[in-house]
């Protein structure tokens, strides 16, 4: 039953990606006007995930040292991608960050159950916001190219 529960969590988090794109298509005008807020929410959620990875890796006494190190390394890699995403964002960077969030949700299965719930909820929110933001960016770039031509 526990394996089924974990797989269900991963599937729900993965569904945030197409749902975010669908919502962005449905509300394209709001995505264009709210790009700034999507970026802020994306950054806040990513910072919360990084802090939670460090916190839950450090306080969990039931986890072996190698798993603690894996959680800290995962948090550092997410932090590095987050800092590099300030310079220029692209769909590839967002895909890489979302893939690492999926790995962090899978990592949280070895932690406290509260960590699994919180990390999966934040990863779901990140998937919705990030996909809507990237899709809105792509639509704006395409419409700008059409105006030039």
């Amino acid at each position: 039953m526990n394996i089924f529960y974990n797989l269900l969590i991963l599937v729900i988090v993965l569904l945030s990606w197409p749902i975010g794109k669908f919502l962005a298509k449905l509300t394209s005008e709001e995505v264009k006007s709210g790009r700034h807020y999507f970026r802020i929410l994306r950054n806040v959620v990513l910072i919360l995930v990084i802090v939670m990875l460090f916190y839950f890796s450090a306080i969990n006494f039931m986890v072996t040292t190698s798993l603690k190190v894996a959680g800290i390394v995962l948090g550092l890699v997410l932090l590095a991608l987050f800092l590099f995403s300030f310079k220029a964002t692209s769909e590839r960077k967002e895909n890489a960050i979302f893939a690492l969030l999926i790995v962090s949700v899978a990592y949280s299965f070895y932690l406290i159950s509260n960590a699994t719930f919180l990390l999966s909820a934040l990863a779901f929110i990140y998937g919705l916001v990030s996909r809507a933001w990237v899709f809105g960016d792509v639509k704006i770039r395409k419409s700008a190219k059409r105006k030039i031509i």
Side-chain angles (χ1 to χ4, degrees), residues 10 14 33-34 38 44 46 57 70 74 82 84 92 96 101 104 107 113 128 139 148:
L10 284 176
L14 284 170
S33 63
F38 280 119
V44 167
L46 198 54
S57 294
L74 186 61
F82 171 67
F84 285 127
R92 286 184 181 171
L101 285 177
S104 68
Y107 169 75
S113 63
L128 285 176
K139 280 193 92 159
I148 292 172

Side-chain angles (χ1 to χ4, degrees), residues 16-107:
S16 69
W17 206 244
I19 291 172
K21 186 173 182 176
F22 174 73
L23 288 176
K25 279 184 181 181
L26 203 63
T27 60
S28 61
E29 290 300 318
E30 286 78 11
V31 170
K32 287 179 187 175
S33 63
R35 283 180 57 225
H36 179 69
Y37 299 111
F38 280 119
R39 186 177 180 124
I40 290 173
L41 183 61
R42 170 200 167 270
N43 292 341
V44 167
V45 168
L46 198 54
I47 288 171
L48 284 173
V49 167
I50 292 168
V51 168
M52 285 178 49
L53 274 173
F54 287 138
Y55 178 73
F56 283 120
S57 294
I59 67 159
N60 197 356
F61 298 114
M62 303 299 282
V63 175
T64 62
T65 306
S66 61
L67 279 177
K68 284 184 183 182
V69 170
I72 292 171
V73 168
L74 186 61
L76 289 174
V77 170
L78 275 172
L79 181 63
L81 278 173
F82 171 67
L83 292 176
F84 285 127
S85 71
F86 276 121
K87 189 172 182 178
T89 56
S90 68
E91 194 168 356
R92 286 184 181 171
K93 286 182 185 175
E94 295 300 320
N95 292 344
I97 291 173
F98 190 67
L100 283 174
L101 285 177
I102 297 297
V103 171
S104 68
V105 169
Y107 169 75

